[in-house]
Amino acid sequence: MSTLKEANTCPDGYRALSTSELQELLQNDEKMDQILRLNEKFQDLQVDREMLLSTNRSVAEESLARQPQLNNGKLQLAEKYRELSNLATTCWEKQSQLGEFEKVDEEEEGRGRGLMFLASYEECVQGHW
């Protein structure tokens, strides 16, 4: 009977069985059902394996086909980041220039107000004198 157990582990292992062992196996309905179930499971697993391999291959081929698009997209994204960086630098420079202009404008405005005050004062003083 130990030979029967070994035969179950290998599908072609039945060839190694003697005629009497094969007859014994054929008469054991429980053992035959087990062998058939294992064989069916094995076949189902083989079919599943082949389907998974096929699906995996298709996904891999599709992925490889999209690789140039992905690389192009990465290059475009890098270029957009460079443009953004340049624009941000330009914005900071212009903002700092505006800040300087605002200071100059405020100083000029202050002087202008002072001159206007003096002119008004002079008019007022001249009108009273």
Side-chain angles (χ1 to χ4, degrees):
M1 278 303 217
S2 66
T3 312
L4 287 178
K5 288 183 182 176
E6 292 172 12
N8 287 337
T9 60
C10 179
D12 290 335
Y14 302 111
R15 292 181 185 174
L17 297 177
S18 68
T19 305
S20 63
E21 290 171 326
L22 288 171
Q23 286 176 346
E24 182 183 330
L25 185 60
L26 283 173
Q27 291 172 358
N28 186 341
D29 290 337
E30 186 179 319
K31 199 60 149 172
M32 285 303 293
D33 287 342
Q34 180 185 7
I35 291 170
L36 289 174
R37 280 193 308 272
L38 288 174
N39 189 33
E40 287 173 8
K41 285 181 184 179
F42 180 75
Q43 287 175 357
D44 288 344
L45 288 173
Q46 284 292 99
V47 169
D48 290 346
R49 179 181 178 269
E50 289 172 18
M51 287 175 52
L52 287 172
L53 286 172
S54 176
T55 301
N56 189 36
R57 180 180 203 79
S58 296
V59 169
E61 288 171 352
E62 188 176 324
S63 179
L64 288 173
R66 291 182 179 180
Q67 192 67 35
Q69 242 179 333
L70 178 64
N71 289 340
N72 188 32
K74 286 179 181 178
L75 290 173
Q76 287 177 349
L77 181 61
E79 180 60 30
K80 292 294 180 187
Y81 271 116
R82 276 192 291 278
E83 289 176 21
L84 178 62
S85 177
N86 291 340
L87 286 172
T89 301
T90 302
C91 273
W92 286 114
E93 288 171 355
K94 289 190 179 201
Q95 265 187 330
S96 96
Q97 287 174 356
L98 280 174
E100 290 171 13
F101 288 139
E102 285 176 357
K103 286 179 185 174
V104 169
D105 285 346
E106 287 173 3
E107 290 172 7
E108 287 178 6
E109 189 176 304
R111 273 184 255 155
R113 273 192 242 135
L115 291 175
M116 286 176 42
F117 175 75
L118 285 175
S120 298
Y121 179 74
E122 286 177 1
E123 284 178 20
C124 187
V125 169
Q126 286 175 0
H128 284 37
W129 288 76

